[in-house]
């Protein structure tokens, strides 16, 4: 009875370093075969257990700079003196296939996307408290004490950007936070402005009506110039 | 870490007669102790099994007219020559207590509320097809053939109001539809504009910041004049 837009949703999940973005998004990805997680490109060195092409694409700074020149990133940012970026081509491809795409990225990058793609969905993941965040950062044991301190200071500034997001989820437990993220995905798919066509179809009477004006629809399309 | 607004959400669920609004909302009410369903007042006669004060408040037309004069309804409408209305006082009371309130009402009434309360949430329940709707109306066996026909004709007109709603749910099965309605409730509670205060609180450093400007908050408050 309704036909919804074929193009996928673009979801931007961010939040301070150490808040648990990857854990929460991985839990949601498991339950959503139609959701695809974008893989970032970075100039930082792989951590132990990190796999090329799964966790990140690891490239040299020279290679990264070349891709900036060629406008191949949807967003990029520096964080702790390393570059991180979202390759455009894959995201556009998946959205056009009708897949929902989730970008798990830092706040700097998220704000760049907000400037460019008005219809993307912005979700901010908060720690239950700053204490918990500090503990998580320390426990992760992947950075030097100096780097942890830097990340923690950055977190304070970043949280001020929260009002620019659409949704906020407090990451008390992975289960509760992923349930909320899932609910946001389900509810966004029910939004009336995602409807392309509404038709009434009965045996007695064939009616076919376009109820949503096309201008509005065009504006809500996600367009990425490649 | 965040304090959300104490006032409850006002949810308006409507859709054509026979689509299953009560069945779906009852399923959601079971799982949500914080959700309260408003009881409408009507001048029509009780159907078999309908209980006064549970399904409806049944009153005479004279009594209903008196209450209209006293501005005691949030909305009211006529449907098949009977009056239906939502009493203001109870809804305001529950919202102020922090309960979410769901109004299960016809489209005419919903549109009145949209004029008065900008922050209410409008959800439209659609049948999987008009054929299914007709079968459901006939099967319900509560109305004369003439009344069923009237309801069916009205449904055609009503569906045109769908673009004025925020969300649309197709009622394929009660389970799927109530899952979607539940997801909408969860996700709406995660909206950034529901945050009243965001505070950072650590042992080392006490920071207390109001990040959301109060003007915006005031506008998003649900105000019902009694």
């Amino acid at each position: 009875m309704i036909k919804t837009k074929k193009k996928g949703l673009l979801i931007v999940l961010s939040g301070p370093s150490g808040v648990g973005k990857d854990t929460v998004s991985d839990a949601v990805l498991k339950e959503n075969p139609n959701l695809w997680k974008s893989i970032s490109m970075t100039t930082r060195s792989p951590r132990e257990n990190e796999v090329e092409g799964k966790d990140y694409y690891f490239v040299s700074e020279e290679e990264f700079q070349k891709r900036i020149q060629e406008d191949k990133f949807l967003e990029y940012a520096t964080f702790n003196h390393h570059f991180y970026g979202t390759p455009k081509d894959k995201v556009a491809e998946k959205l056009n296939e009708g897949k929902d795409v989730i970008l798990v990225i830092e706040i700097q990058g998220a704000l760049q996307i907000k400037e460019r793609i008005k219809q993307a969905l912005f979700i901010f993941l908060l720690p239950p408290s700053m204490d918990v965040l500090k503990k998580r950062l320390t426990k992760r044991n992947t950075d030097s004490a100096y780097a942890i301190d830097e990340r923690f200071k950055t977190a304070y500034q970043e949280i001020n950007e929260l009002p620019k997001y659409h949704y906020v989820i407090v990451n008390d437990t992975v289960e509760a936070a992923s349930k909320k993220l899932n609910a946001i995905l389900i509810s966004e798919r029910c939004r009336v402005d995602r409807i392309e066509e509404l038709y009434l179809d009965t045996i007695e009477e064939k009616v076919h009506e376009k109820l949503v004006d096309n201008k509005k629809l065009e504006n809500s399309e996600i367009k990425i110039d490649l």
Side-chain angles (χ1 to χ4, degrees), chain A:
Chain A
M1 186 132 172
I2 49 172
K3 191 176 133 198
T4 49
K5 279 193 274 175
K6 282 194 201 88
K7 267 199 183 178
L9 271 173
L10 183 62
I11 301 118
V12 178
L13 179 70
S14 41
S17 186
V19 73
K21 297 184 289 292
D22 286 308
T23 319
V24 171
S25 60
D26 286 349
V28 173
L29 281 156
K30 262 188 207 162
E31 290 182 47
N32 285 278
N34 197 46
L35 184 65
W36 181 80
K37 184 176 176 177
S38 164
I39 299 151
S40 295
M41 196 167 274
T42 183
T43 59
R44 81 153 162 75
S45 312
R47 290 184 196 140
E48 209 180 326
N49 300 326
E50 281 184 338
V51 177
E52 160 74 20
K54 184 176 164 280
D55 298 296
Y56 285 98
Y57 298 109
F58 296 99
V59 295
S60 66
E61 193 165 326
E62 195 190 348
E63 171 70 19
F64 201 101
Q65 292 286 5
K66 189 171 156 268
R67 284 171 184 259
I68 294 175
Q69 297 311 315
E70 293 167 353
D71 193 27
K72 285 190 169 169
F73 290 113
L74 203 54
E75 56 78 33
Y76 69 92
T78 54
F79 195 77
N80 284 348
H81 318 294
H82 297 297
F83 282 96
Y84 295 81
T86 302
K88 260 186 197 176
D89 49 357
K90 269 284 182 188
V91 172
E93 185 191 311
K94 296 286 178 183
L95 288 174
N96 285 328
E97 281 174 16
K99 288 232 173 207
D100 295 332
V101 173
I102 187 164
L103 309 184
V104 180
I105 56 174
E106 305 299 329
I107 283 95
Q108 290 177 59
L111 297 181
Q112 285 175 48
I113 293 186
K114 208 175 175 203
E115 291 289 306
R116 299 175 76 161
I117 306 173
K118 298 290 171 205
Q119 273 59 44
L121 207 66
F122 293 85
I123 304 172
F124 201 101
L125 197 63
L126 268 185
S129 74
M130 292 308 273
D131 261 4
V132 170
L133 184 70
K134 192 152 202 180
K135 276 174 197 148
R136 284 183 194 168
L137 279 171
T138 312
K139 207 178 150 195
R140 198 161 68 169
N141 209 21
T142 51
D143 297 296
S144 65
Y146 174 77
I148 290 171
D149 214 47
E150 285 280 288
R151 282 176 189 272
F152 193 63
K153 276 184 201 155
T154 307
Y156 266 91
Q157 294 156 6
E158 287 176 336
I159 287 171
N160 283 293
E161 306 293 348
L162 190 142
K164 294 176 186 160
Y165 284 65
H166 299 116
Y167 294 100
V168 57
I169 297 174
V170 176
N171 189 14
D172 290 312
T173 65
V174 178
E175 200 195 346
S178 60
K179 191 184 164 190
K180 285 175 183 171
L181 181 50
N182 243 322
I184 294 170
L185 296 182
I186 295 170
S187 91
E188 282 290 326
R189 286 188 203 113
C190 294
R191 290 193 76 89
V192 166
D193 51 18
R194 296 259 306 158
I195 296 177
E196 201 165 77
E197 218 172 334
L198 173 75
Y199 48 92
L200 311 177
D201 201 357
T202 63
I203 293 165
E204 305 99 278
E205 192 174 2
K206 295 264 173 196
V207 186
H208 193 85
E209 278 178 293
K210 293 205 180 201
L211 290 184
V212 185
D213 77 75
N214 286 320
K215 199 141 198 97
K216 200 176 155 200
L217 267 176
E218 264 169 42
N219 291 337
S220 67
E221 286 283 336
I222 290 170
K223 281 190 188 119
I224 299 175
D225 298 320
L226 293 178

